[in-house]
């Protein structure tokens, strides 16, 4: 019979997808908020995205579940069942990754497995009799693979506000935990300090174009049109950008690429134009700025559905693509400035999402294993 007093020392497992930055940032926030007595093993194909981890965290590198390495024997003639997304046969890397995780399940008897994100690893956890927490992202996830992961989950973590919930999540809302702004520091420099750091005159209007790390970024040509439409504004882009040979760039448009001081740029802006990754959205919401959201392509229309949710909550102006003419840019910027509602934006943030999530995970683990022990004792 298991001693329930030992459960706080049983480990949590944590799978971290290495595309983009949000998965790793959420993981870092959560594990730093968990009790030091809770061991955590993090599985990731690219541990460099994680950064420093606390002493109670062990990181295991696993092969990528979707990147080729040259030793595959492709069997594309075999149909992928609807319950799986990315599960090609004949890939030793996938086999080794799943074997590492399953072996750890058997040797460490974990209390929970947190999956951010993989429907296949969520289902592997359930098959191995390990309760799992599925991290939920926006999008059309009505397919059998996602539903199997959510239906079989002990809990579902949504790293954003309940005010951005989709209607089709109703069947599993009872086991969801919302953590608005999870993984993003809410600390922004004051506006004057930020503008001084960027060399901006106090009266200079500045538009910030921000794209995340999960895709290819915005095209350069539409931004040249924007800068020409607003010659008295300074336009700055950070993050990934697609070059266009026909783009015309004026002196009031600067492309900075990746920067370490995203918060400084956000705090200094008068307007933000961005994609809708979780990290990006939390940063902009924290600043309470006029905001235009333009979703990038993602699997399952993740960013499209997130943009629609933000618009529905009154937090941003949603455009399907960057404006293609000067007059369209002027109309979009005017609508964003006039429709700005900082109260609606502030309502989509939480004061300490990391600690709230850590407390929820601890309660969930205790409830699960306490129930299991009670059944074992009385059965």
């Amino acid at each position: 019979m298991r001693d329930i007093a030992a459960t706080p020392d049983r480990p949590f497992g944590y799978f971290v997808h290495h595309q983009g930055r949000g998965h790793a940032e959420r993981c870092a926030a959560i594990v730093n908020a968990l009790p030091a007595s809770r061991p955590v093993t993090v599985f990731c194909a690219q541990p460099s995205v994680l950064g420093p981890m606390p002493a109670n965290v062990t990181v295991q590198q696993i092969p990528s579940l979707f990147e080729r390495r040259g030793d595959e024997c492709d069997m594309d003639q075999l149909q992928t069942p609807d319950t799986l997304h990315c599960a090609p046969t004949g890939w030793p890397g996938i086999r080794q990754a799943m074997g590492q995780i399953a072996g750890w399940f058997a040797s460490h008897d974990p209390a929970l497995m947190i999956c951010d994100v993989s429907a296949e690893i969520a289902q592997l956890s359930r098959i191995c009799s390990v309760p799992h927490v599925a991290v939920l992202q926006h999008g059309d996830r009505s397919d059998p693979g996602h539903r199997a992961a959510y239906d079989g989950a002990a809990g579902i973590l949504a790293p954003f506000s309940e005010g951005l919930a989709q209607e089709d999540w109703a069947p599993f809302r009872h086991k969801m935990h919302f953590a608005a702004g999870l993984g993003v520091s809410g600390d922004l420099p004051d506006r004057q300090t930020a503008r001084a750091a960027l060399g901006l005159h106090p009266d200079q209007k500045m538009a910030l174009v921000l794209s995340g790390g999960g895709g290819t970024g915005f095209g350069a040509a539409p931004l040249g049109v924007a800068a020409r439409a607003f010659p008295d504004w300074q336009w700055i882009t950070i993050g990934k950008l697609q070059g266009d040979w026909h783009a015309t760039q004026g002196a009031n448009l600067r492309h900075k690429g990746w920067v370490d001081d995203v918060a400084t740029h956000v705090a200094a802006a008068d307007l933000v134009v961005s994609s809708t990754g979780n990290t990006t959205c939390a940063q902009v919401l924290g600043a309470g700025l006029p905001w235009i959201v333009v979703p990038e392509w993602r699997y399952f229309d993740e960013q499209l559905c997130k943009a629609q949710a933000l618009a529905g909550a009154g937090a941003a102006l949603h455009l399907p693509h960057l404006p293609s003419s000067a007059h369209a840019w002027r109309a979009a910027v005017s609508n964003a400035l006039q429709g700005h509602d900082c109260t609606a934006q502030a309502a989509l943030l939480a004061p300490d999402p990391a600690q709230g999530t850590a407390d929820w995970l601890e309660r969930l683990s205790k409830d699960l294993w306490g129930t299991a022990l009670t059944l074992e004792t009385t059965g």
Side-chain angles (χ1 to χ4, degrees), residues 29-230:
I30 291 171
V31 299
N32 277 285
L34 285 169
S37 60
R38 176 69 71 185
V40 182
T41 296
V42 177
F43 298 91
C44 185
Q46 191 175 329
S48 61
V49 304
L50 297 170
M53 292 279 108
N56 58 313
V57 176
T58 301
V59 178
Q60 280 197 30
Q61 184 169 7
I62 58 173
S64 174
L65 299 177
F66 61 92
E67 293 169 294
R68 301 179 69 90
R69 61 185 196 183
D71 59 351
E72 296 81 12
C73 179
D74 293 313
M75 304 177 190
D76 297 328
Q77 73 275 18
L78 299 179
Q79 182 179 352
T80 301
D82 290 341
T83 51
L84 300 174
H85 299 147
C86 182
T89 49
W91 283 43
I94 295 177
R95 190 157 53 249
Q96 291 161 14
M98 293 299 194
Q100 277 183 247
I101 295 171
W104 182 82
F105 286 162
S107 62
H108 285 73
D109 193 23
L112 279 177
M113 180 67 176
I114 303 160
C115 300
D116 189 359
V117 287
S118 169
E120 284 78 17
I121 289 181
Q123 293 180 66
L124 175 71
S125 303
R126 182 60 187 257
I127 291 169
C128 290
S129 198
V130 174
H132 72 271
V133 169
V135 175
L136 176 68
Q137 300 183 114
H138 284 82
D140 177 7
R141 303 183 190 272
S142 58
D143 60 280
H146 277 113
R147 290 302 178 180
Y150 302 151
D151 290 346
I156 297 175
L157 173 59
F160 40 78
S161 168
E162 189 171 4
L164 298 176
Q166 295 178 195
E167 292 182 2
D168 60 320
W169 296 344
F172 46 79
R173 283 284 288 270
H174 64 284
K175 55 183 174 181
M176 289 180 65
H177 174 76
F178 292 91
L182 179 63
V184 179
S185 171
D187 299 327
L188 290 174
D190 68 80
R191 177 177 169 80
Q192 289 184 342
T193 301
R195 293 177 70 83
L198 298 181
L200 294 171
H201 188 276
D203 298 326
Q204 172 74 66
K205 292 287 187 180
M206 192 269 274
L208 178 68
V209 181
L210 173 59
S211 60
T216 55
F218 294 128
L223 303 177
V225 176
R228 292 196 299 274
F230 292 88

Side-chain angles (χ1 to χ4, degrees), residues 27-28 32 50-51 62 66-67 131 135 160 207 247-248 261 271 293 314 317-318 323 339 344 377:
C27 174
N32 277 285
L50 297 170
I62 58 173
F66 61 92
E67 293 169 294
V135 175
F160 40 78
T248 304
D261 57 345
L271 168 75
V293 290
L317 171 67
H318 166 216
T377 302

